Amino acid sequence: MTDSTDAKLHATALPAYLRERHAFWHATRFSENRAWYQRLAHTGQHPRAMVISCCDSRVDSVQMFGAEPGDLFVLRNVASLVPPHSPDLSFHGTSAAVEYAVSVLKVAHLVVVGHSNCGGISACHDMCAGSAPQLTDGSSYIGRWIDILRPGFERVSARIKEPKARVAALEKEGVIVSIRNLISFPFVAEAMREGELTLHGCWIDIGSGELHVLDHATGEFV
Amino acid sequence: MTDSTDAKLHATALPAYLRERHAFWHATRFSENRAWYQRLAHTGQHPRAMVISCCDSRVDSVQMFGAEPGDLFVLRNVASLVPPHSPDLSFHGTSAAVEYAVSVLKVAHLVVVGHSNCGGISACHDMCAGSAPQLTDGSSYIGRWIDILRPGFERVSARIKEPKARVAALEKEGVIVSIRNLISFPFVAEAMREGELTLHGCWIDIGSGELHVLDHATGEFV
Amino acid sequence: MTDSTDAKLHATALPAYLRERHAFWHATRFSENRAWYQRLAHTGQHPRAMVISCCDSRVDSVQMFGAEPGDLFVLRNVASLVPPHSPDLSFHGTSAAVEYAVSVLKVAHLVVVGHSNCGGISACHDMCAGSAPQLTDGSSYIGRWIDILRPGFERVSARIKEPKARVAALEKEGVIVSIRNLISFPFVAEAMREGELTLHGCWIDIGSGELHVLDHATGEFV
Amino acid sequence: MTDSTDAKLHATALPAYLRERHAFWHATRFSENRAWYQRLAHTGQHPRAMVISCCDSRVDSVQMFGAEPGDLFVLRNVASLVPPHSPDLSFHGTSAAVEYAVSVLKVAHLVVVGHSNCGGISACHDMCAGSAPQLTDGSSYIGRWIDILRPGFERVSARIKEPKARVAALEKEGVIVSIRNLISFPFVAEAMREGELTLHGCWIDIGSGELHVLDHATGEFV
């Protein structure tokens, strides 16, 4: 029982403000939707789409897409990145979530949501540009994670030199790279062939709230 | 340009209902908070806490904790699991997010949120109980991901035999295992020693909306 | 050292009841949030809003808005009044606080909070109505301070004759006058033009706890 | 009606999160104390002490001193500064509040609360040290306000050279200067002579929550 003992020793009571805000939610939003929550508990979830979004505290896809409980299966990681298919034995949290959404929940859409002012993308830019050695010494989880986007950096840096514009382009390239990687999963390709799954990419500007959608014909965000 | 060409070929326009709901959000919630979003875009995020929650479409920690834009850095993966510290070179999305929250954003709290009726936990139970061979043949990302919780299953199955009760206990054991794994990260342990980071665990019942908080003294959820 | 000598001679030990209440706070609320306070000490404050409220011991905006440490930059003066922009060399404590909030902290909202049973507003009414000569002989700081609201009194007294109703109306007129004066500051007007700052007015009834919000369309509190 | 028209045009509805948090407060803390609030509304306030504190969002003297509605008359300005007595005709918000507390409310204690990591004190240090020209060109309200503490800077800089230690000392010197200035008000000196008013100074460390009290015998904070 060492493990749970550790947890016992280290976990502390939930901060009061979170308990209070949960109480307010429970007395309002939850109470108004109690019947629906009970249905969801008994009949399970049947979300129409999966959203792959960023952990960033400023970007909440659930609210942005006016989603109700049960509507969206949401994965949130650093920079909304999806790694390529790689059948090894290590822990692939993102790939497992995609597999669960497509093979178990059978969602109809996979939506990758990038955003402006993304700290992860900016770190990737600095790392690939050689100005962030601390991310490349192998000890940084962030550095290894954003390495997924290195091929995207190569393409972007080849056509854009100005740093600020390059970072902005990399935010959108990240969405394209993730969509490309999604296609590399057999169960994704299969569902697409069956016409049961579609892929979508978009990018949101935090300051203006505007959503730019990836146009499959041009590869541009409009 | 093969890569982005792939994306062009496969990504399609965003489903109309998502575009419409975004438009509605933009005309209401966003417009009312435009000044705050602009400030957030220019001054960056300074979230007080990171929440590690599940992708489940029925559990939205942001709404449950009445969080505003900028309040919570949210990671969502299958079953809110955190793998142990392992300095290899593979992609660790969850660990990267924890590192970013603690080392870059310097959040004060890490909150692991488990929930009832969790498909990932249930799959872990069946896999560990030997009744889900398709998850153990090495080809399933889900199987490999939920293997993080195998030690938890051993502890739970040793003291609880009834399957339904055992799954429920495993949902809470998952929170304890994740907290234990969080402590294994050097940057987490260091921030805790400095008194600048606290760990918290809780479990929410979807049907009743009740939140059970991990009591560090007893290891029970109350 | 004459100055500090004066202080030495005149300052006495903190009353025991304040020391005891601080000790209680430190053992409870502070201890539970120690990690957050340490983060705030090291990373600085990033409040979303500034509240301009009254010194009145019965009106605590921090508690009324469920604010956590770091949430609200709070100015409290007599009657929540803001003087107009006046670039002279005298000490402008209120204007300095507004400048600090908008130009340094870059808050997104300025909220002026008036309240019922306000002694300062009542004194302003009596002074302007000519029944409080001691406030107008130039020796009273209170009299000079609440003179900020004299234009408001003229408007209110023109349409309301009954003293009690007139004082109540003046409490709300004070909020409108302060908002008008806020707009006279170049840095406030500039931030509003940039869409990075919004102004808000409200009035709270101490006895009922009800909050009346200034409706920008009608200028009424609803 | 130009004035209120301006306000009508510029004030917008209160941000939803503040309305929601007020609703939670009203349903909990307020409801539990409704009888007391109604008493306070009808019989007026009779606070025992006045606290002169900082606008800083991390320092809430009301909570720190476990104050209940009616307990503390609270002035909050930048750096908790009190200007000296100066019988001119300009707006003196801080002096008016002190006059109101002493002459009208007849509080028994005036408590000046300084704190660590104070942005206003730090700005004063930089300005007086000559490294913040933007604060001295006469156009900054902040610069003119913190000029109150210039004499304190002279004393501190004479005995402490290391910048960090000097700023920390200046935070405490600010409390001493404010107490000295309080004594310069005739109504304060008079109430002290009558034995009806005492002055107190303290300084709180945000990170540790510790309160250091000004010892009148030594002029030190212990």
Side-chain angles (χ1 to χ4, degrees):
Chain A
M1 294 293 295
T2 334
D3 301 336
S4 33
T5 307
D6 289 350
K8 283 185 207 173
L9 292 175
H10 293 95
T12 57
L14 205 61
Y17 84 106
L18 291 178
R19 290 198 308 273
E20 285 179 6
R21 289 178 188 173
H22 165 268
F24 181 73
W25 169 79
H26 194 272
T28 52
R29 301 281 293 258
F30 175 81
S31 297
E32 295 158 14
N33 297 286
R34 181 184 288 275
W36 179 227
Y37 277 107
Q38 288 201 21
R39 282 287 187 200
L40 284 173
H42 298 147
T43 62
Q45 62 176 327
H46 301 87
R48 173 171 172 179
M50 172 186 191
V51 167
I52 297 166
S53 186
C54 185
C55 298
D56 194 299
S57 64
R58 301 165 296 180
V59 181
D60 178 8
S61 296
V62 175
Q63 190 192 95
M64 184 177 91
F65 287 130
E68 282 292 294
D71 283 352
L72 295 177
F73 185 76
V74 182
L75 171 79
R76 291 180 69 170
N77 64 25
V78 172
S80 325
L81 294 176
V82 178
H85 176 55
S86 62
D88 57 43
L89 292 179
S90 54
F91 299 133
H92 292 285
T94 296
S95 307
V98 173
E99 180 183 339
Y100 194 83
V102 175
S103 304
V104 179
L105 298 177
K106 304 196 178 304
V107 298
H109 319 290
L110 293 183
V111 184
V112 179
V113 180
H115 68 89
S116 66
N117 317 91
C118 183
I121 296 293
S122 164
C124 175
H125 174 273
D126 298 346
M127 177 180 76
C128 298
S131 58
Q134 75 284 5
L135 294 176
T136 49
D137 68 1
S139 75
S140 166
Y141 283 103
I142 300 169
R144 282 172 276 155
W145 175 249
I146 57 184
D147 204 57
I148 293 172
L149 185 48
R150 192 178 286 276
F153 173 82
E154 305 306 343
R155 279 192 296 281
V156 168
S157 59
R159 66 174 206 271
I160 305 176
K161 299 303 171 195
E162 195 278 306
K164 211 151 174 303
R166 199 194 262 172
V167 169
L170 193 56
E171 289 171 346
K172 291 169 177 174
E173 185 66 27
V175 175
I176 293 175
V177 166
S178 291
I179 288 175
R180 177 202 22 123
N181 289 342
L182 281 171
I183 299 163
S184 70
F185 292 89
F187 45 85
V188 169
E190 167 67 10
M192 289 176 73
R193 263 197 306 280
E194 295 300 320
E196 298 192 325
L197 179 69
T198 54
L199 306 190
H200 312 273
C202 55
W203 173 91
I204 184 160
D205 182 276
I206 290 175
S208 72
E210 282 168 12
L211 190 66
H212 297 229
V213 179
L214 174 62
D215 175 350
H216 67 296
T218 64
E220 298 303 312
F221 286 75
V222 292
Chain B
M1 292 295 292
T2 333
D3 303 334
S4 33
T5 307
D6 290 349
K8 284 186 207 169
L9 292 176
H10 293 93
T12 57
L14 205 60
Y17 83 106
L18 292 180
R19 289 201 308 275
E20 285 168 10
R21 289 186 184 170
H22 166 267
F24 181 72
W25 167 79
H26 194 272
T28 53
R29 300 280 294 254
F30 175 80
S31 297
E32 292 161 17
N33 296 286
R34 179 185 289 274
W36 179 226
Y37 277 106
Q38 288 202 25
R39 287 295 195 189
L40 283 174
H42 297 153
T43 61
Q45 62 176 327
H46 301 89
R48 174 171 175 175
M50 172 186 190
V51 168
I52 296 166
S53 187
C54 186
C55 298
D56 194 299
S57 63
R58 301 165 295 180
V59 181
D60 179 6
S61 296
V62 174
Q63 190 192 96
M64 182 177 90
F65 287 130
E68 282 291 294
D71 283 353
L72 296 177
F73 185 77
V74 182
L75 171 80
R76 292 180 68 171
N77 63 26
V78 172
S80 326
L81 294 176
V82 177
H85 175 55
S86 61
D88 56 43
L89 292 179
S90 52
F91 299 134
H92 291 285
T94 296
S95 307
V98 174
E99 181 182 339
Y100 193 82
V102 175
S103 304
V104 179
L105 298 178
K106 302 194 179 306
V107 299
H109 317 291
L110 293 182
V111 184
V112 179
V113 180
H115 67 90
S116 66
N117 318 93
C118 182
I121 297 292
S122 164
C124 174
H125 175 273
D126 298 348
M127 175 180 79
C128 297
S131 57
Q134 75 284 6
L135 294 175
T136 50
D137 69 1
S139 75
S140 166
Y141 283 103
I142 299 170
R144 282 171 278 154
W145 174 249
I146 57 184
D147 204 57
I148 293 172
L149 187 48
R150 193 177 285 275
F153 174 81
E154 306 305 343
R155 279 193 295 281
V156 167
S157 59
R159 66 174 206 271
I160 305 175
K161 299 304 171 193
E162 196 278 306
K164 211 151 175 304
R166 199 194 261 171
V167 170
L170 193 56
E171 288 171 349
K172 292 170 178 175
E173 186 66 26
V175 174
I176 292 176
V177 166
S178 290
I179 287 175
R180 175 195 32 112
N181 289 342
L182 281 171
I183 299 164
S184 70
F185 292 89
F187 46 84
V188 168
E190 168 67 9
M192 289 176 73
R193 262 197 306 280
E194 295 298 320
E196 298 198 324
L197 180 69
T198 54
L199 306 189
H200 312 273
C202 55
W203 174 90
I204 183 162
D205 182 276
I206 290 175
S208 72
E210 282 170 13
L211 190 67
H212 297 229
V213 179
L214 173 62
D215 175 350
H216 67 295
T218 64
E220 299 301 313
F221 286 75
V222 291
Chain C
M1 292 294 292
T2 336
D3 303 335
S4 33
T5 308
D6 291 351
K8 284 186 210 171
L9 292 175
H10 295 93
T12 58
L14 206 60
Y17 84 106
L18 292 179
R19 288 201 310 274
E20 286 168 10
R21 289 184 184 172
H22 166 267
F24 181 72
W25 167 78
H26 194 272
T28 52
R29 300 279 295 255
F30 176 80
S31 297
E32 292 161 16
N33 297 286
R34 179 185 288 274
W36 179 228
Y37 277 106
Q38 287 201 24
R39 287 295 197 191
L40 283 173
H42 297 154
T43 61
Q45 63 175 327
H46 301 89
R48 173 172 175 176
M50 173 185 189
V51 168
I52 295 167
S53 186
C54 185
C55 298
D56 194 299
S57 63
R58 302 165 294 181
V59 181
D60 178 6
S61 296
V62 174
Q63 191 192 94
M64 184 177 89
F65 286 131
E68 282 291 295
D71 282 353
L72 296 177
F73 185 76
V74 182
L75 171 79
R76 292 180 68 171
N77 62 26
V78 171
S80 325
L81 295 175
V82 178
H85 175 55
S86 63
D88 57 43
L89 291 178
S90 54
F91 300 134
H92 292 284
T94 295
S95 307
V98 173
E99 180 183 338
Y100 193 83
V102 174
S103 303
V104 179
L105 298 178
K106 303 194 178 305
V107 299
H109 317 291
L110 293 182
V111 184
V112 179
V113 180
H115 69 90
S116 67
N117 318 95
C118 184
I121 296 293
S122 164
C124 174
H125 174 274
D126 298 347
M127 175 181 77
C128 297
S131 58
Q134 76 283 5
L135 294 176
T136 49
D137 68 3
S139 74
S140 167
Y141 283 104
I142 299 169
R144 282 171 278 155
W145 175 248
I146 57 184
D147 204 56
I148 293 171
L149 185 50
R150 192 177 287 275
F153 174 81
E154 305 306 342
R155 280 191 296 280
V156 168
S157 58
R159 67 175 205 272
I160 305 176
K161 299 304 172 194
E162 195 278 307
K164 210 150 174 306
R166 197 193 264 172
V167 170
L170 192 56
E171 289 172 346
K172 292 170 177 173
E173 186 65 27
V175 174
I176 293 175
V177 166
S178 290
I179 287 176
R180 190 233 332 156
N181 289 343
L182 280 171
I183 300 164
S184 70
F185 292 89
F187 45 84
V188 168
E190 168 68 8
M192 289 176 72
R193 262 196 307 279
E194 295 299 320
E196 298 199 325
L197 179 69
T198 53
L199 306 190
H200 312 273
C202 56
W203 174 91
I204 183 161
D205 182 277
I206 290 176
S208 72
E210 281 169 13
L211 190 68
H212 297 231
V213 179
L214 173 62
D215 176 349
H216 68 295
T218 64
E220 300 301 314
F221 286 76
V222 291
Chain D
M1 290 295 294
T2 330
D3 300 337
S4 35
T5 307
D6 289 349
K8 284 186 208 173
L9 292 176
H10 292 94
T12 58
L14 205 60
Y17 84 106
L18 291 179
R19 289 199 308 274
E20 285 179 6
R21 290 181 188 172
H22 166 268
F24 181 74
W25 168 79
H26 194 272
T28 53
R29 300 280 294 258
F30 176 80
S31 297
E32 294 157 15
N33 298 286
R34 180 184 290 273
W36 179 228
Y37 276 106
Q38 289 201 19
R39 281 290 187 197
L40 285 174
H42 299 148
T43 61
Q45 64 176 327
H46 301 87
R48 173 171 172 179
M50 172 184 189
V51 168
I52 295 165
S53 187
C54 185
C55 298
D56 195 299
S57 65
R58 301 165 295 179
V59 180
D60 178 7
S61 297
V62 175
Q63 190 192 95
M64 183 177 90
F65 286 129
E68 282 291 294
D71 283 353
L72 296 177
F73 185 76
V74 182
L75 171 80
R76 292 180 68 171
N77 64 26
V78 172
S80 325
L81 295 175
V82 177
H85 176 56
S86 62
D88 57 43
L89 292 178
S90 55
F91 300 134
H92 292 283
T94 296
S95 307
V98 173
E99 181 183 339
Y100 193 83
V102 174
S103 305
V104 179
L105 299 177
K106 303 195 179 305
V107 298
H109 319 290
L110 293 182
V111 184
V112 178
V113 180
H115 68 90
S116 67
N117 317 92
C118 184
I121 297 293
S122 163
C124 175
H125 174 275
D126 298 346
M127 176 180 77
C128 297
S131 57
Q134 76 283 5
L135 294 175
T136 48
D137 68 1
S139 74
S140 166
Y141 282 103
I142 300 169
R144 281 171 277 156
W145 174 249
I146 56 184
D147 204 57
I148 293 172
L149 185 49
R150 193 177 285 277
F153 174 81
E154 305 305 343
R155 279 191 296 280
V156 167
S157 58
R159 67 175 205 272
I160 304 176
K161 298 303 169 195
E162 196 278 306
K164 210 151 174 299
R166 198 194 264 172
V167 170
L170 192 56
E171 289 172 347
K172 292 169 177 173
E173 186 64 28
V175 174
I176 293 175
V177 166
S178 290
I179 287 176
R180 173 188 42 104
N181 289 341
L182 281 171
I183 299 163
S184 69
F185 292 89
F187 46 83
V188 169
E190 168 68 10
M192 289 175 73
R193 261 197 307 281
E194 296 298 322
E196 299 191 324
L197 178 69
T198 55
L199 306 191
H200 313 272
C202 56
W203 174 92
I204 184 162
D205 182 277
I206 290 175
S208 72
E210 281 169 13
L211 190 67
H212 297 229
V213 179
L214 174 62
D215 176 348
H216 67 294
T218 65
E220 299 301 314
F221 286 75
V222 292

